[in-house]
Amino acid sequence: MQTRRVFLARFLGAAALTAPALTACSSGSDSGDSGSGNGHVKSATAITKVYGEGQKFIAVAIEYDAEIATAKLSTSSFKAEGRTVTKVYANTSAATADQGTDGRYVIVELSPDDDSALLWGISGPYGNGGGGGQGGASGSAQPQASASQSTGTPGVVPGPTLGATGGAANLKKAKGTVTQTGTVTTTGGTAYPADSAKVTTTGTVNPIVDDFKQFTFKDPKTGKSLPYNLYVPKNYDKAKSYPLVLFMHDASVVSTTPTATLVQGLGAVCWASPEDQAKREAFVLAPQYPAVVVSDDYKPTAYFDATANLVEDLTTRYSIDKDRLYSTGQSMGAMMTLGLNIKYPDLFAASFVVAGQWPDAQAKPLAKKKLWVTVSQGDTKAYPGMNAITKVIEAAGTKVSRATWNGRAGATAFAADVKAMRAKGTTVNYSTFLKGTTLTAAQVKQNPNALEHNSTWPIAYTIEAIREWIFDQRK
């Protein structure tokens, strides 16, 4: 399934790594570690956020020695080296907020569209330096396949080598330098005048990502050791029973860095967000594959079965409802989702398949499964592949609901789209993004033959209504 993703990762990644990073304090000042505001600054912390195209550095939290009046702050109060300041307000903790609150922390929000905002990259065999295969939504142009990479099908490039291992994730450190350029006023009325001293972050907060814990599953059946990330509901109660969502990453994320799958995009973290957990408490499982599990020959390695065994093992160690096990994945992970549903038909209650395919000759068991499939019509392999699978499902007597969506639609439109499909009451739903709509207009104009594989999942995992549908399903 590495066909288009590999090609895109190699070309899109370079932009992320060549962009200038935030600099540390300049050699002309020795007060950059923590000394702004005439000595009133206690610390500075970088704050990150995961987007569809990967983790970004999006704010600095500056801790003062007294509560700061948020109403007295503005974007002109601070300057960040190499970055665009979009919002400044006070808060009671080192966290971003919709509205400011008087507190000891001043939050300096930074534009996620800055060239140096993106932290995520991958240095493994299927991602040359950055972007993690997150094409399309990142704003980078997507080139078409060269003749030397052609498989005989226009726009399709060769897939990965089965079992190929990945390197360490090239995740840049979130580090920035800020200067207080305006007066900061405490709630008691004391004015801290502008100060030319530079303050550099010394710590990092990674919302949601930091809530996952890292473990290794030593599978006695396959002999494989599989690293994985696990989110346990914050109010976990052994007396209750919880659902579990399994997310499987694409082949460009194959890495020896355990948390790579958490920062490459939204596929894992969207299920563990405070908003989602408030509505649907659940365990979230995100294995980190050190090698390619399945390639275009559809003959998976032992990590495939080890994944199923890991899910089963967790149900014996936590209070997890075996009737509410769900799977999802993008590209290679989508292939694994389809393959696992075929080989282990009683394991998952429902699955969200994003930009994947499997041999249609093996697809008949999928007619008995609850599936939501999303793919871009411009995806030159996954789209025809899923078309063939849905025909097999329909031939087996299962009705499939189909819909074509605009990939540029917002949350409100997507919610209405999902509602319309749900009204049909089918167990298999097939939503496709209209060709070209997962890319920006500028990208389409620049290259009408741009590949639309990687640009599917940065959008698909933002659709909250699909996640809601998944959790409504039971065995």
Side-chain angles (χ1 to χ4, degrees), residues 15 18 25 52 58 130 132 175 186 222 244 267 280 360 366 440:
T18 56
C25 58
I58 54 93
K175 187 174 183 180
T186 70
T222 64
L244 176 145
R280 300 172 290 271
D360 57 293
L366 296 174
T440 66

Side-chain angles (χ1 to χ4, degrees), residues 18 110 159 176 178 199 202 230 240 265-266 287 294 304 350 355 375 395 426 446 460:
T18 56
L110 310 171
V178 295
V199 179
T202 57
L230 184 67
K240 296 173 59 177
L266 295 170
V294 61
F304 179 85
V375 66
T426 54
Q446 180 181 4

Side-chain angles (χ1 to χ4, degrees), residues 45 108 110 181 309 347 373 387 401:
T45 303
V108 180
L110 310 171
T181 53
N309 295 338
L347 185 57
V373 178
N387 286 342
S401 291

Side-chain angles (χ1 to χ4, degrees), residues 119-205:
L119 301 173
W120 162 246
I122 193 76
S123 58
Y126 303 110
N128 189 17
Q134 307 298 325
S138 66
S140 302
Q142 298 193 42
Q144 64 188 105
S146 65
S148 63
Q149 295 170 309
S150 176
T151 60
T153 302
V156 177
V157 295
T161 301
L162 186 68
T165 57
N170 192 351
L171 186 64
K172 293 191 296 182
K173 183 177 181 180
K175 187 174 183 180
T177 299
V178 295
T179 305
Q180 182 187 320
T181 53
T183 300
V184 170
T185 306
T186 70
T187 53
T190 302
Y192 295 163
D195 192 334
S196 62
K198 297 180 179 182
V199 179
T200 298
T201 57
T202 57
T204 305
V205 174

Side-chain angles (χ1 to χ4, degrees), residues 36-259:
S36 186
N38 295 317
H40 296 291
V41 169
K42 310 302 289 183
S43 67
T45 303
I47 302 174
T48 69
K49 181 179 179 179
V50 179
Y51 292 79
E53 60 267 38
Q55 188 182 59
K56 296 184 178 185
F57 174 22
I58 54 93
V60 174
I62 306 166
E63 182 185 10
Y64 280 83
D65 60 358
E67 287 196 350
I68 304 302
T70 192
K72 300 287 188 178
L73 297 169
S74 70
T75 55
S76 62
S77 300
F78 288 87
K79 176 177 141 183
E81 291 188 5
R83 297 298 300 273
T84 304
V85 175
T86 59
K87 193 176 178 182
V88 177
Y89 52 91
N91 204 355
T92 57
S93 63
T96 58
D98 292 332
Q99 292 185 334
T101 302
D102 292 350
R104 287 178 174 266
Y105 292 86
V106 171
I107 309 301
V108 180
E109 290 196 12
L110 310 171
S111 173
D113 296 325
D114 287 343
D115 288 339
S116 57
L118 186 65
L119 301 173
W120 162 246
I122 193 76
S123 58
Y126 303 110
N128 189 17
Q134 307 298 325
S138 66
S140 302
Q142 298 193 42
Q144 64 188 105
S146 65
S148 63
Q149 295 170 309
S150 176
T151 60
T153 302
V156 177
V157 295
T161 301
L162 186 68
T165 57
N170 192 351
L171 186 64
K172 293 191 296 182
K173 183 177 181 180
K175 187 174 183 180
T177 299
V178 295
T179 305
Q180 182 187 320
T181 53
T183 300
V184 170
T185 306
T186 70
T187 53
T190 302
Y192 295 163
D195 192 334
S196 62
K198 297 180 179 182
V199 179
T200 298
T201 57
T202 57
T204 305
V205 174
N206 304 293
I208 307 177
V209 172
D210 290 339
D211 294 331
F212 282 79
K213 302 301 180 185
Q214 289 68 51
F215 304 96
T216 298
F217 173 56
K218 296 181 179 180
D219 185 15
K221 295 181 180 179
T222 64
K224 290 292 185 181
S225 291
L226 178 59
Y228 67 95
N229 302 274
L230 184 67
Y231 176 88
V232 178
K234 291 188 176 181
N235 298 315
Y236 174 62
D237 182 352
K238 293 181 180 179
K240 296 173 59 177
S241 185
Y242 299 82
L244 176 145
V245 180
L246 162 69
F247 169 73
M248 294 167 284
H249 61 72
D250 62 276
S252 75
V253 190
V254 164
S255 173
T256 56
T257 302
T259 58

Side-chain angles (χ1 to χ4, degrees), residues 255-293:
S255 173
T256 56
T257 302
T259 58
T261 185
L262 303 179
V263 298
Q264 55 78 35
L266 295 170
V269 297
C270 66
W271 312 88
S273 71
E275 297 79 11
D276 273 47
Q277 287 289 316
K279 299 175 184 177
R280 300 172 290 271
E281 271 192 311
F283 283 77
V284 183
L285 168 63
Q288 180 58 56
Y289 298 105
V292 175
V293 181

